[in-house]
Amino acid sequence: MILLKDPRTRRRRLGVVAAAGGLLAALLTAAPAAAIPDPGDEPTAPKEMSRSAQAEAREAIESGEIPAQDEVVRSDNIRHVANIPKDALTGFNSDLAFQGRYAFAGNYDGFRIFDISNPKSPKTVAQVLCPGSQNDISVSGDLLFLSTDSSRSDSSCNSTTQPATEKSSWEGMKVFDISDKRNPRYVAAVETACGSHTHTLVPERKNVYIYVSSYSPNAAYPDCQPPHDGISVIKVPRKAPHKAAVVEFPVLFPGEGPDGGGNPGAPTNPGVSKTTGCHDITVLPSEDLAAGACMGDGILFSIKNPERPKVIDRVQDNVNFAFWHSATFNQRADKVVFTDELGGGGAATCNAAVGPDRGADGIYDIVGKGDKRRLVFRSYFKIPRHQADTENCVAHNGSLIPVKGKDILVQAWYQGGVSVWDFTDSSKPKEIAYFERGPLATDRIVTGGSWSAYYYNGYIYSNDIEKGLDVLRIDDRRTDPADRIQLRELNPQTQPDYFDDRD
């Protein structure tokens, strides 16, 4: 691990203008290919556009149908209060976690810690160089957890890329001691089958359980053999994190044969990802409940015994969902929002050619009680602003804005920006606020935009893949009551009981 000293904290102010009216006409005539995983260890290569598509993009900008490159547009009820560009860590920015006055930002090259005691002027506290995509990040007490989902030469922060076909290669979870925020200390590594694309914490008083999501097994990979179809459960003793170890591997999709029992994908279900594990899991510990977004399947499961989660319902959408990516419960635990990452985060899917029901959110009611609870589909939600065909855009990571009696989500859409939307009526979701920038380029697709957008103690924090950390403030009578909720810690995939967990 390399701690990068004397970080150069810079602040850039971007102009704010009102959104122009009108929608961008579709530039592409064909729908994108089936979903692929999130960007890999190396940055996605830019995809050149045709001359006609480039000309149409320029015309759309000139006419005001879409914002200009790097131009910020927003609804009247959102303010852009700060931007902290990337610094020493130049890889893709990824997920976020929060604790007290600190924000923890993942990056494919490591992680960065911000002091956000003044949200209008965040300060860099530490930058840790530790490459290994995606570096999905979470915190609990004095521990920080980091996912590695790229095949590495070893578990150290000095590792290099190495083929997954080699038995000595390493992927999995890293554990850091962050009792001193300025000097994080690497204390443990746990190898897991097929690595760790994402992870979810189930914290207890003495131990922290980690649900490790990974997928895409291959018979040529010694440590990632098919059918996989499960998750690794790691137990981390708080007082002895060096003893962290895998304690279970529950199979969530049991089935005979090498393909397991999940969604078979194509050719049975064209355009749908074959299920070979889970992409992400969200837990609601106060209800002993979890929701899994598992490639071709969405699942609901009980975590009464955190070492042995039990699936209680499973749904598929083989018409409009290509890749079940993530999940968020509402506060009452009678709804869950699943996201479809059509195109894997690298494609332009927020256009008229794709339409409003693909690359979108699926809203499900949870009906029944106990282990008889079932997921019932109600509607789709997608941002109502068409994006340029040079902008990667699809539903991605978000969190609740805690307003009692209301279901309001803030969500990242890559270059579609940040959207705040209300799903109190699960059959009629509606957007109530937004923030976005113009395309990174008009001649090619360059991967960028908001990876994660979360509400924490009065502000929205967005980790933009290329532009850095954005801080937003929403001022709206529908969301203002959330200001009264002050959390001590937030890992959005470990949803708190917002109305009990207060200072």
Side-chain angles (χ1 to χ4, degrees):
M1 181 193 80
I2 299 176
L3 183 65
L4 302 169
K5 300 290 186 180
D6 299 319
R8 293 168 286 119
T9 302
R10 305 184 302 275
R11 182 179 179 186
R12 180 175 63 183
R13 297 180 182 272
L14 297 177
V16 178
V17 300
L23 296 175
L24 174 65
L27 302 180
L28 293 182
T29 58
I36 56 174
D38 295 65
D41 201 26
E42 297 298 326
T44 304
K47 303 172 186 175
E48 296 294 329
M49 307 295 290
S50 68
R51 290 185 178 181
S52 61
Q54 293 177 33
E56 288 184 42
R58 287 193 297 270
E59 290 173 8
I61 290 173
E62 290 170 3
S63 68
E65 293 179 42
I66 63 172
Q69 284 182 256
D70 287 341
E71 181 183 21
V72 169
V73 296
R74 59 175 177 84
S75 56
D76 290 339
N77 54 356
I78 273 190
R79 290 182 287 123
H80 187 204
V81 300
N83 171 261
I84 306 298
K86 289 196 288 190
D87 190 49
L89 304 176
T90 59
F92 285 1
N93 282 330
S94 58
D95 212 4
L96 293 165
F98 306 89
Q99 185 182 84
R101 62 188 178 99
Y102 297 101
F104 304 82
N107 179 285
Y108 277 41
D109 288 337
F111 64 93
R112 189 173 181 180
I113 303 177
F114 294 97
D115 183 335
I116 55 171
S117 53
N118 179 1
K120 296 179 181 180
S121 184
K123 304 297 183 185
T124 300
V125 173
Q127 297 185 76
V128 175
L129 180 64
C130 195
S133 70
Q134 299 181 140
N135 276 339
D136 191 45
I137 194 167
S138 60
V139 294
S140 184
D142 287 338
L143 300 177
L144 179 147
F145 306 92
L146 212 59
S147 285
T148 299
D149 193 35
S150 58
S151 186
R152 313 296 298 179
S153 56
D154 56 54
S155 63
S156 76
C157 287
N158 298 316
S159 67
T160 58
T161 58
Q162 183 168 290
T165 52
E166 298 211 12
K167 177 62 179 172
S168 62
S169 295
W170 185 92
E171 300 178 66
M173 289 298 309
K174 295 169 181 169
V175 184
F176 292 78
D177 183 318
I178 53 168
S179 53
D180 180 353
K181 302 295 187 294
R182 295 186 177 278
N183 293 284
R185 185 168 55 89
Y186 188 9
V187 295
V190 181
E191 187 170 16
T192 56
C194 301
S196 175
H197 194 70
T198 66
H199 69 271
T200 304
L201 303 187
V202 184
E204 296 187 340
R205 188 170 62 88
K206 293 184 178 180
N207 304 297
V208 180
Y209 288 97
I210 308 174
Y211 291 167
V212 176
S213 295
S214 57
Y215 52 91
S216 296
N218 189 306
Y221 300 164
D223 300 317
C224 184
Q225 291 286 298
H228 195 57
D229 270 353
I231 59 173
S232 297
V233 179
I234 296 175
K235 182 178 180 180
V236 185
R238 290 188 184 276
K239 293 185 177 181
H242 61 280
K243 294 182 178 180
V246 175
V247 292
E248 286 289 343
F249 186 86
V251 175
L252 304 178
F253 305 97
E256 300 296 330
D259 293 330
N263 195 316
T268 304
N269 297 315
V272 177
S273 292
K274 175 182 175 181
T275 298
T276 59
C278 289
H279 179 277
D280 210 344
I281 292 168
T282 292
V283 298
L284 192 56
S286 62
E287 299 289 335
D288 291 328
L289 200 61
C294 303
M295 305 181 73
D297 294 88
I299 60 173
L300 189 69
F301 52 102
S302 168
I303 58 168
K304 287 181 180 179
N305 180 343
E307 292 190 13
R308 296 177 177 83
K310 182 177 75 171
V311 175
I312 58 178
D313 196 26
R314 169 184 168 193
V315 290
Q316 296 179 355
D317 180 346
N318 295 318
V319 176
N320 288 315
F321 260 47
F323 189 89
W324 296 67
H325 175 276
S326 53
T328 305
F329 289 100
N330 70 335
Q331 177 60 33
R332 294 180 61 187
D334 58 8
K335 299 172 191 172
V336 62
V337 174
F338 288 102
T339 67
D340 171 27
E341 197 186 39
L342 173 69
T349 73
C350 297
N351 53 27
V354 175
D357 297 340
R358 304 182 69 232
D361 296 307
I363 305 164
Y364 287 75
D365 284 353
I366 302 173
V367 300
K369 296 181 179 180
D371 289 354
K372 296 186 181 298
R373 284 174 285 193
R374 296 293 177 264
L375 294 164
V376 179
F377 174 77
R378 293 303 185 204
S379 65
Y380 298 106
F381 171 80
K382 193 170 184 179
I383 55 174
R385 295 167 307 286
H386 287 173
Q387 305 293 307
D389 283 355
T390 58
E391 293 181 279
N392 62 300
C393 175
V394 74
H396 215 237
N397 295 346
S399 75
L400 291 183
I401 296 181
V403 178
K404 206 160 193 174
K406 296 289 186 181
D407 299 324
I408 300 175
L409 192 76
V410 58
Q411 185 177 10
W413 290 78
Y414 288 114
Q415 286 195 70
V418 176
S419 174
V420 179
W421 57 283
D422 187 319
F423 63 105
T424 306
D425 183 341
S426 52
S427 296
K428 295 180 180 179
K430 58 182 179 181
E431 185 178 73
I432 62 176
Y434 69 89
F435 165 90
E436 68 165 296
R437 290 183 173 88
L440 286 170
T442 59
D443 58 346
R444 63 197 187 282
I445 294 181
V446 179
T447 298
S450 178
W451 180 290
S452 299
Y454 302 131
Y455 181 91
Y456 179 70
N457 293 354
Y459 289 83
I460 294 168
Y461 296 87
S462 166
N463 210 19
D464 188 290
I465 292 170
E466 292 297 341
K467 298 297 184 182
L469 182 74
D470 286 310
V471 186
L472 311 174
R473 168 72 185 178
I474 182 168
D475 295 300
D476 189 291
R477 59 179 177 77
R478 292 164 290 190
T479 59
D480 288 347
D483 289 351
R484 296 193 289 267
I485 306 299
Q486 296 291 305
L487 300 181
R488 294 182 290 273
E489 191 169 271
L490 176 65
N491 299 294
Q493 289 76 37
T494 305
Q495 284 190 225
D497 184 337
Y498 285 98
F499 303 106
D500 281 345
D501 186 7
R502 305 184 192 184
D503 285 335

